[in-house]
Structure formats: C-alpha cells, structure tokens
Amino acid sequence: MRVLITGGAGFLGRRVAIAASREKIDVLAVGRSPSTTPPPDSAELFRYLQLDVRDADRLQQLCSRERPDAVIHCAAPGVSRMAPTGDLVGEACAAAQALAQITRAHSVPVVWIGSCFEYAPSDKPIAETHPLVPATEYAKAKVHSWQLFQHNKRPGIPTLTLRPFHLYGPGENHARFIPSALLAPRGLAENRFGNALNTRDFVYVDDAASGIVSAAKLVVSGSALPQESLNLASGRGTTLAEAARLAAVTVGKPDFAYNFTGASPLPGYEPQILLGNPGLAAFVLGWAATTPPSEGLSLTWTALSHTSHSTQTSCALGLGHS
C-alpha cells in the first residue's frame, strides 16, 4: 500500500507519516517546507518532497508517477493567537480543488483531515451530526474547502473525513497551550494563559495518527463506509488549569503558579467547553485515544527538551553536553 500525505512537514502530517511507515506502508509526504528533518524516533522512515498541494499540475504529475492508493490530506492553514494573515479560505480551497482533480484523474480515495473548530459550540460531547458553524478564518477555511472538495470530487470515490479534537505532542508549535504549559515553569515560555476553566478534549498526536492510518486502510479496502465523517476525540474533558497542573508535575515544578489572566482568546472563538464523542470512531475504525495524559505530557516534554533548534533551551534545561 502506498499513501501520499499532504502537509507532511507539519505537526500532524509528520506523525501520520511516521505511523504509516511503521506499518510497512510506502509513504511519500509532501509540503511547502523546503526540507523536513525527521524526528529522532522516525529514522527517516518516509520520503519527503517539497510540493505545494495547490499546484494542481505538479500534483497530477506526482500522482501519475507514484500511483498512490490513497491521499491523506493533512495540509491546512495554521492557527495561532495572532490574527490570521493571508487568504486562508482561498488557499485551502485551491488545495481542495487540486485534490478533487486528482480523484477524477486517478480514482484515488482520500482521507480528509478537518478540525473540531468547525463545529458549533455545545455544552455536551459533540457527535458527527452536530452542525458545522465555523467562527474563525481557520475553521471557515476547513469547512469551505471540505465542501468544495465534496462537490467536485469524482462521484463514488471513497472519502472519509476525520475531525481531531485538541491534539498535542512532539512537534507541536511552542506557542500553543501544552508546549507553553511545559516550558513556562522552567522560564522558557511566557507565563500567560487563557481561562483556567475552559475544558478541552486533549488527544495525543500519535493516537490520532493511528486512527488516520486505520482510516486510510479502510478507504483503500473497498469496504462500504458506514459514515462520511468521524471524530478523533477522547471523550474526556480536562480544564486548562488541570492540564497545566499535570504539565508542572511533568517538568518537576509542581508548585509553579500559572497566570491564567493575561492571554487574549483565539480570534472569534473560545468556547468554555469543546468535547468530542468518540463512539463512531470506535465502531467504524476500532479506534480509541489510549495514551494517558501523564504519558503524553512526558513524551512531549522529552521532545521539547531535545529540540535541535534551540541550544540555549537545552542548556537551560541542564541537557547540554558537559
């Protein structure tokens, strides 16, 4: 089995590429970054090619040469606490159109990676039938590009949409909550966080990657798909205060006092509760988020401690060579 993974240099795409290659799947990952340094645990298990998925001609040529059995579309415009720049919707829709053309030219199935931020707010765990009401440019880009792809893809081609909830783990942007919560007690990140009572459904990235690989196998198998979209969620709610407490324990600073009053919310959307119902993913894929938070945080901290981009950070952590 051969898969093409878009966004292969990104946080999720890279972990999906590693997970797939470890299952003896031939992986070609593509992305806009000129190169990607494999994580220490990947042992260069997959190929990587610089390619902008919006370039329909190059994507067609690549698929003609490689003949993938499935495409896993992880590429997406980023999200941060800064106001988004550029035309996120336009970029995502251009990629969606290019992927739709691939399904028509090569009859290749697609696993589409969405986001929990596409859903309307709810004070209960969100099921896949919950309305899609995007409130941020990032979420609008996800929803509109997905709708465009669904409209233009080849009829009858197997496609499965997965919407992960709050992913964390090795390779996540340091400005996001979990890395910041791990780094702040050591003085390596600003101690400013959002509402301590906000409740999130944290999913370790390698758990999500495992589910995505299972989805790719399913769309390739030719089996009838009982559902067009699935949540990748734990179904467990954790407040930011509790997640931060676990992070402080992980880094050996259990008494660290987090400042939960200084951070601005994400533009336009910061629901107090955002949880997913994982039942359908368990039924369709046999999947569950199994990594305990203590283990996931420990693995994330280990990766942060060894990031090669910051020698200063390593020295500050006492990890520099003596």
Side-chain angles (χ1 to χ4, degrees):
M1 178 175 164
R2 175 173 293 176
V3 298
L4 174 67
I5 300 175
T6 70
F11 169 46
L12 177 59
R14 184 181 292 192
R15 303 307 294 188
V16 173
I18 294 169
S21 62
R22 285 179 172 161
E23 295 198 24
K24 309 304 180 185
I25 296 172
D26 183 7
V27 174
L28 174 59
V30 300
R32 283 190 277 183
S33 297
S35 64
T36 177
T37 303
D41 58 349
S42 74
E44 299 188 40
L45 296 173
F46 60 89
R47 294 177 292 152
Y48 178 80
L49 175 69
Q50 184 183 13
L51 185 148
D52 190 331
V53 72
R54 298 172 298 174
D55 188 335
D57 290 339
R58 283 198 67 201
L59 191 62
Q60 287 276 12
Q61 294 169 8
L62 180 66
C63 287
S64 295
R65 183 175 74 247
E66 296 288 336
R67 296 290 178 181
D69 297 300
V71 174
I72 301 175
H73 183 47
C74 294
V79 62
S80 73
R81 291 190 175 274
M82 301 296 289
T85 58
D87 181 8
L88 301 189
V89 174
E91 289 185 15
C93 285
Q97 185 61 43
L99 286 171
Q101 292 178 26
I102 292 303
T103 68
R104 290 182 172 274
H106 301 286
S107 300
V108 60
V110 173
V111 176
W112 182 280
I113 309 303
S115 167
C116 64
F117 282 98
E118 297 175 60
Y119 288 120
S122 175
D123 59 359
K124 298 178 181 178
I126 292 171
E128 288 79 357
T129 55
H130 196 69
L132 301 180
V133 184
T136 65
E137 287 303 303
Y138 169 75
K140 290 175 185 177
K142 285 286 191 180
V143 170
H144 295 325
S145 62
W146 175 72
Q147 292 172 337
L148 179 67
F149 172 76
Q150 293 291 335
H151 180 75
N152 290 295
K153 72 180 179 69
R154 181 170 180 169
I157 288 297
T159 60
L160 187 57
T161 300
L162 305 179
R163 294 191 174 96
F165 276 66
H166 288 77
L167 300 181
Y168 73 99
E172 186 178 10
N173 188 303
H174 289 194
R176 290 175 62 82
F177 176 76
I178 289 295
S180 293
L182 289 165
L183 293 168
R186 293 297 190 100
L188 300 170
E190 191 174 8
N191 185 16
R192 289 205 313 157
F193 297 88
N195 189 334
L197 297 181
N198 281 353
T199 300
R200 298 293 180 254
D201 190 329
F202 290 103
V203 178
Y204 186 62
V205 65
D206 287 352
D207 285 345
S210 173
I212 292 167
V213 172
S214 294
K217 291 179 179 178
L218 181 60
V219 298
V220 169
S221 72
S223 301
L225 299 177
Q227 186 75 15
E228 74 169 13
S229 63
L230 300 171
N231 291 332
L232 295 181
S234 71
R236 299 183 301 270
T238 304
T239 65
L240 298 191
E242 175 61 14
R245 186 192 68 80
L246 291 172
V249 170
T250 299
V251 303
K253 299 286 186 178
D255 297 325
F256 182 75
Y258 289 90
N259 174 14
F260 281 103
T261 61
S264 59
L266 287 168
Y269 190 61
E270 190 78 350
Q272 184 166 351
I273 300 173
L274 193 53
L275 301 178
N277 185 329
L280 271 177
F283 174 73
V284 175
L285 301 177
W287 176 86
T290 58
T291 303
S294 57
E295 180 183 350
L297 286 168
S298 179
L299 291 167
T300 305
W301 175 237
T302 297
L304 280 170
S305 302
H306 292 89
T307 47
S308 60
H309 84 283
S310 177
T311 303
Q312 181 179 0
T313 296
S314 295
C315 292
L317 295 170
L319 297 168
H321 295 294
S322 58

